[in-house]
Amino acid sequence: MNKLLGVSPRHPGLWQDIPAATMTKKTVVDIETMVSHTQGRNELTKISAQLAQLSQQGRWIVLISPPNIGYKQMLAAAGVRMDRILLVHAKDEVETLWAMEKALTSGTSSAVITWANSLDARDNRRLQLVAKSAQALGIVIENANAHLPDSAINTQDKILNQGSLFTSMH
Protein backbone atom coordinates (compact mmCIF):
# COMPACT_ATOMS: atom_id res chain seq x y z
CA MET A 1 0.00 0.00 0.00
CA ASN A 2 1.38 3.41 -0.94
CA LYS A 3 1.28 6.30 1.50
CA LEU A 4 1.57 9.89 0.35
CA LEU A 5 4.38 11.83 1.99
CA GLY A 6 4.46 15.59 1.61
CA VAL A 7 1.88 17.97 0.19
CA SER A 8 2.33 17.65 -3.58
CA PRO A 9 0.83 14.45 -5.02
CA ARG A 10 2.25 15.21 -8.48
CA HIS A 11 5.87 14.68 -7.47
CA PRO A 12 6.83 11.00 -8.02
CA GLY A 13 9.42 11.00 -5.23
CA LEU A 14 6.72 11.50 -2.62
CA TRP A 15 5.18 8.05 -3.10
CA GLN A 16 6.93 5.34 -1.12
CA ASP A 17 6.04 1.90 0.16
CA ILE A 18 5.91 2.36 3.91
CA PRO A 19 4.47 -0.34 6.16
CA ALA A 20 1.40 0.80 8.08
CA ALA A 21 3.03 -0.26 11.38
CA THR A 22 5.78 2.35 10.99
CA MET A 23 3.30 5.05 10.08
CA THR A 24 1.45 4.65 13.39
CA LYS A 25 4.45 3.81 15.60
CA LYS A 26 5.53 6.81 17.67
CA THR A 27 8.31 6.48 20.19
CA VAL A 28 7.97 8.99 22.99
CA VAL A 29 11.32 10.28 24.22
CA ASP A 30 11.47 12.27 27.44
CA ILE A 31 14.12 14.81 28.25
CA GLU A 32 15.04 14.32 31.87
CA THR A 33 16.30 17.15 34.06
CA MET A 34 18.59 16.28 36.97
CA VAL A 35 19.57 18.85 39.58
CA SER A 36 23.13 18.29 40.76
CA HIS A 37 25.20 19.52 43.68
CA THR A 38 28.31 17.75 42.31
CA GLN A 39 28.42 19.29 38.81
CA GLY A 40 26.94 16.06 37.46
CA ARG A 41 29.50 13.60 38.86
CA ASN A 42 26.93 11.47 40.70
CA GLU A 43 24.34 11.74 37.94
CA LEU A 44 26.83 10.67 35.27
CA THR A 45 27.88 7.71 37.40
CA LYS A 46 24.22 6.65 37.75
CA ILE A 47 23.59 6.64 34.00
CA SER A 48 27.00 5.40 32.84
CA ALA A 49 25.87 1.76 32.47
CA GLN A 50 23.00 2.90 30.24
CA LEU A 51 25.41 5.06 28.23
CA ALA A 52 27.70 2.05 27.78
CA GLN A 53 24.82 0.11 26.22
CA LEU A 54 23.82 3.04 24.03
CA SER A 55 27.39 3.53 22.80
CA GLN A 56 27.32 0.01 21.36
CA GLN A 57 24.65 1.15 18.85
CA GLY A 58 27.32 3.01 16.90
CA ARG A 59 25.61 6.36 17.27
CA TRP A 60 27.01 9.37 19.14
CA ILE A 61 26.87 10.03 22.88
CA VAL A 62 26.90 13.84 22.86
CA LEU A 63 28.22 15.76 25.87
CA ILE A 64 27.43 19.47 25.70
CA SER A 65 29.45 21.86 27.89
CA PRO A 66 30.58 19.33 30.49
CA PRO A 67 32.61 20.70 33.42
CA ASN A 68 36.00 19.21 34.19
CA ILE A 69 34.79 16.45 36.51
CA GLY A 70 36.74 13.50 35.18
CA TYR A 71 33.90 12.34 32.94
CA LYS A 72 36.31 10.60 30.54
CA GLN A 73 37.57 8.26 33.24
CA MET A 74 34.04 7.62 34.57
CA LEU A 75 32.66 6.74 31.15
CA ALA A 76 35.65 4.62 30.11
CA ALA A 77 35.48 2.68 33.40
CA ALA A 78 31.79 1.97 32.74
CA GLY A 79 32.56 0.52 29.31
CA VAL A 80 31.39 3.41 27.14
CA ARG A 81 33.00 3.34 23.69
CA MET A 82 35.12 6.49 23.77
CA ASP A 83 35.21 6.66 19.97
CA ARG A 84 31.44 7.33 20.12
CA ILE A 85 31.74 10.39 22.41
CA LEU A 86 31.13 13.76 20.75
CA LEU A 87 32.14 16.75 22.85
CA VAL A 88 30.50 20.14 22.21
CA HIS A 89 31.62 23.34 23.94
CA ALA A 90 28.93 26.02 23.77
CA LYS A 91 29.67 29.66 24.49
CA ASP A 92 26.43 30.37 26.41
CA GLU A 93 23.10 28.89 27.53
CA VAL A 94 21.34 29.76 24.27
CA GLU A 95 23.94 27.95 22.21
CA THR A 96 23.86 25.04 24.67
CA LEU A 97 20.12 24.51 24.21
CA TRP A 98 20.39 24.96 20.45
CA ALA A 99 23.13 22.30 20.29
CA MET A 100 21.02 19.95 22.41
CA GLU A 101 18.00 20.46 20.16
CA LYS A 102 20.02 19.73 17.02
CA ALA A 103 21.72 16.68 18.52
CA LEU A 104 18.42 15.21 19.77
CA THR A 105 16.64 15.58 16.45
CA SER A 106 19.50 14.70 14.10
CA GLY A 107 19.02 10.94 14.23
CA THR A 108 22.76 10.38 14.67
CA SER A 109 22.83 10.37 18.50
CA SER A 110 21.91 7.74 21.06
CA ALA A 111 22.09 10.13 24.01
CA VAL A 112 22.57 13.86 24.54
CA ILE A 113 23.72 15.10 27.94
CA THR A 114 23.81 18.83 28.57
CA TRP A 115 25.15 20.78 31.53
CA ALA A 116 23.28 24.02 32.22
CA ASN A 117 23.09 26.48 35.11
CA SER A 118 19.32 26.58 35.37
CA LEU A 119 16.38 26.42 33.00
CA ASP A 120 13.54 28.89 33.11
CA ALA A 121 9.95 28.14 32.09
CA ARG A 122 10.61 29.12 28.46
CA ASP A 123 13.60 26.79 28.21
CA ASN A 124 11.65 23.93 29.78
CA ARG A 125 8.82 24.47 27.30
CA ARG A 126 11.30 24.48 24.43
CA LEU A 127 12.68 21.15 25.61
CA GLN A 128 9.15 19.71 25.85
CA LEU A 129 8.61 20.64 22.21
CA VAL A 130 11.97 19.16 21.21
CA ALA A 131 11.09 15.93 23.04
CA LYS A 132 8.23 15.37 20.59
CA SER A 133 10.68 14.93 17.72
CA ALA A 134 13.70 13.68 19.68
CA GLN A 135 15.37 10.52 18.47
CA ALA A 136 17.76 10.10 21.41
CA LEU A 137 17.84 10.01 25.18
CA GLY A 138 18.05 13.58 26.48
CA ILE A 139 19.39 14.59 29.89
CA VAL A 140 19.92 18.08 31.27
CA ILE A 141 22.13 18.29 34.34
CA GLU A 142 21.34 21.55 36.13
CA ASN A 143 23.98 22.97 38.40
CA ALA A 144 22.37 23.58 41.79
CA ASN A 145 25.47 25.56 42.80
CA ALA A 146 25.09 28.11 39.98
CA HIS A 147 24.16 30.83 42.47
CA LEU A 148 27.36 30.31 44.50
CA PRO A 149 30.59 32.18 43.75
CA ASP A 150 33.32 30.17 42.00
CA SER A 151 35.46 30.04 45.15
CA ALA A 152 32.69 28.23 47.05
CA ILE A 153 32.30 25.69 44.24
CA ASN A 154 36.06 25.11 44.08
CA THR A 155 36.16 24.59 47.86
CA GLN A 156 33.31 22.10 47.60
CA ASP A 157 35.15 20.26 44.76
CA LYS A 158 38.34 20.08 46.85
CA ILE A 159 36.41 18.57 49.75
CA LEU A 160 34.84 15.99 47.44
CA ASN A 161 38.19 15.14 45.85
CA GLN A 162 39.91 14.81 49.24
CA GLY A 163 37.18 12.51 50.44
CA SER A 164 37.64 10.25 47.45
CA LEU A 165 41.42 10.15 47.97
CA PHE A 166 41.11 9.12 51.59
CA THR A 167 38.55 6.42 50.88
CA SER A 168 40.76 4.86 48.21
CA MET A 169 43.81 4.68 50.50
CA HIS A 170 43.89 1.70 52.86
Side-chain angles (χ1 to χ4, degrees):
M1 176 186 208
N2 287 332
K3 297 285 182 186
L4 179 63
L5 297 178
V7 293
S8 177
R10 293 190 171 97
H11 191 280
L14 296 177
W15 290 93
Q16 295 179 2
D17 286 328
I18 299 174
T22 60
M23 293 294 287
T24 58
K25 182 182 170 187
K26 172 66 175 135
T27 305
V28 177
V29 177
D30 253 351
I31 298 175
E32 185 178 350
T33 301
M34 301 173 148
V35 178
S36 175
H37 293 280
T38 61
Q39 292 185 311
R41 259 187 225 98
N42 296 342
E43 292 72 18
L44 201 55
T45 302
K46 287 178 190 174
I47 62 171
S48 60
Q50 183 180 11
L51 294 177
Q53 289 177 339
L54 291 172
S55 72
Q56 301 307 316
Q57 296 177 353
R59 297 188 326 173
W60 293 110
I61 305 290
V62 183
L63 305 178
I64 302 173
S65 299
N68 189 9
I69 57 172
Y71 60 87
K72 292 176 188 175
Q73 295 83 2
M74 277 190 272
L75 296 176
V80 174
R81 285 181 51 193
M82 297 311 285
D83 64 329
R84 300 305 340 158
I85 299 292
L86 181 64
L87 189 59
V88 177
H89 291 286
K91 64 181 178 184
D92 57 20
E93 292 283 323
V94 173
E95 194 172 282
T96 298
L97 291 176
W98 177 85
M100 182 176 198
E101 179 180 339
K102 294 301 177 187
L104 284 169
T105 58
S106 70
T108 60
S109 306
S110 295
V112 181
I113 304 166
T114 302
W115 280 260
N117 285 331
S118 63
L119 300 177
D120 59 15
R122 192 181 111 234
D123 294 336
N124 280 321
R125 178 65 182 141
R126 178 178 176 181
L127 290 178
Q128 288 173 357
L129 294 173
V130 169
K132 291 181 181 180
S133 59
Q135 300 175 17
L137 170 68
I139 297 174
V140 176
I141 299 177
E142 283 189 22
N143 186 4
N145 299 324
H147 65 283
L148 297 176
D150 286 340
S151 59
I153 294 172
N154 290 337
T155 303
Q156 186 178 23
D157 284 346
K158 287 178 187 173
I159 292 168
L160 286 170
N161 288 337
Q162 285 176 348
S164 64
L165 287 175
F166 290 126
T167 57
S168 64
M169 295 173 58
H170 295 282

